[in-house]
Amino acid sequence: MKRWKALVALALAAAFLGVLGFGLTRDAQVLPSAIIGQKAPQFDLETLDGDSIDLSSLQGQVVLLNFWASWCIPCREEHPVLEMADKRYDGKGVRLIGVVYQDTRSNARRFLEQHGGGWPSVLDPSSRVAISYGVYGVPETYFVDPTGRVVQKHVGPLTWDLLSSTVDSLLASGKGAAPDTTAASGTAGVGADAAAGPEATGSGARTQR
C-alpha cells in the first residue's frame, strides 16, 4: 500500500514538472485568443466629438480597434506609433478607431489635446464593447479585415514593425492572414475606479488599477 502511494505521488510529481517545463519553454508573449477568426462584435458608439461610429459601416476597409485610456502609461508609449499609422494609411482603406476604456470624455479629450491624434475615439461607458472583445487591460488592439473578421489581437503597446506588417498584409490579401495568436507585451490592468491614475511598474510592464 505504501509502495502504491509512493508511485502515485511520483507520477503526480512527474506530471507537474512536465507541465511546468512546458510552460517555461513557451513564449510568454504568445497567447491564444478565442475571438480570432470570428466576426468582429458590432457596435454603434458616440465619439468624443459627439458624432457616432457604426462598425458595420466600415466593412470593406481594414480596421484597427485600439482600446486605450488616458491613465494608461503603455498607451502613451504606443501613441506615436498610432500617429504614424494614421498619417501613412490615410486614404488607403484603413480606419483607426480608438475605444476609450474605463475613462471619462474629459480625460480622454485632454490626453489627445496634449499628445495629438486625428483619428476618432468612441466612448464605451458600460464597457460592453470591451467585454464583447474580451479586453483584459489596455492598450489592446484588434485588427479587423475588410470582411469584418478579427484576424489578430495585440496586447500591449504596438510597435511600428508589427502594425505596418500586419496592415500591409491585410491590404495586400484583401482578406487578412494574420496568425491566430495574441502578442502580449505589457498592458495596464484596471480596477473599479477609472478616475484614479495607474500605479506604473515600468516601461511596457503591466500596471494594475
Side-chain angles (χ1 to χ4, degrees):
M1 188 69 176
K2 291 183 178 181
R3 183 179 180 183
W4 179 82
K5 289 183 178 180
L7 290 175
V8 171
L10 184 61
L12 291 174
F16 172 76
L17 290 175
V19 172
L20 179 62
F22 174 73
L24 292 175
T25 58
R26 295 187 66 189
D27 186 350
Q29 293 189 337
V30 178
L31 305 171
S33 177
I35 200 173
I36 303 301
Q38 305 298 317
K39 282 289 185 179
Q42 297 299 300
F43 61 78
D44 187 348
L45 295 175
E46 182 183 0
T47 69
L48 294 177
D49 295 327
D51 297 322
S52 65
I53 291 180
D54 184 348
L55 182 62
S56 63
S57 69
L58 302 180
Q59 189 157 332
Q61 304 180 73
V62 173
V63 178
L64 277 67
L65 293 178
N66 177 252
F67 289 80
W68 68 280
S70 65
W71 46 259
C72 165
I73 300 300
C75 296
R76 300 181 186 183
E77 297 174 5
E78 80 166 358
H79 197 73
V81 174
L82 298 177
E83 289 188 293
M84 290 173 61
D86 185 50
K87 294 176 181 178
R88 171 168 174 172
Y89 296 108
D90 182 32
K92 297 182 179 179
V94 179
R95 291 295 303 273
L96 173 58
I97 307 295
V99 182
V100 180
Y101 183 63
Q102 296 197 2
D103 205 349
T104 65
R105 183 195 300 266
S106 59
N107 285 343
R109 294 188 69 169
R110 188 179 304 112
F111 177 95
L112 294 176
E113 289 171 359
Q114 293 175 349
H115 300 279
W119 59 95
S121 282
V122 296
L123 295 164
D124 184 22
S126 62
S127 296
R128 290 182 181 177
V129 173
I131 292 172
S132 69
Y133 277 84
V135 173
Y136 166 75
V138 285
E140 285 191 16
T141 303
Y142 296 77
F143 295 82
V144 182
D145 73 10
T147 70
R149 182 172 58 96
V150 178
V151 294
Q152 184 163 327
K153 169 184 175 179
H154 183 79
V155 179
L158 286 165
T159 65
W160 175 248
D161 287 345
L162 185 146
L163 187 153
S164 60
S165 63
T166 303
V167 171
D168 289 345
S169 174
L170 294 175
L171 290 174
S173 68
K175 293 186 296 184
D180 183 4
T181 60
T182 297
S185 57
T187 63
V190 298
D193 185 3
E199 297 176 7
T201 59
S203 176
R206 294 181 184 273
T207 58
Q208 298 296 327
R209 301 192 69 241

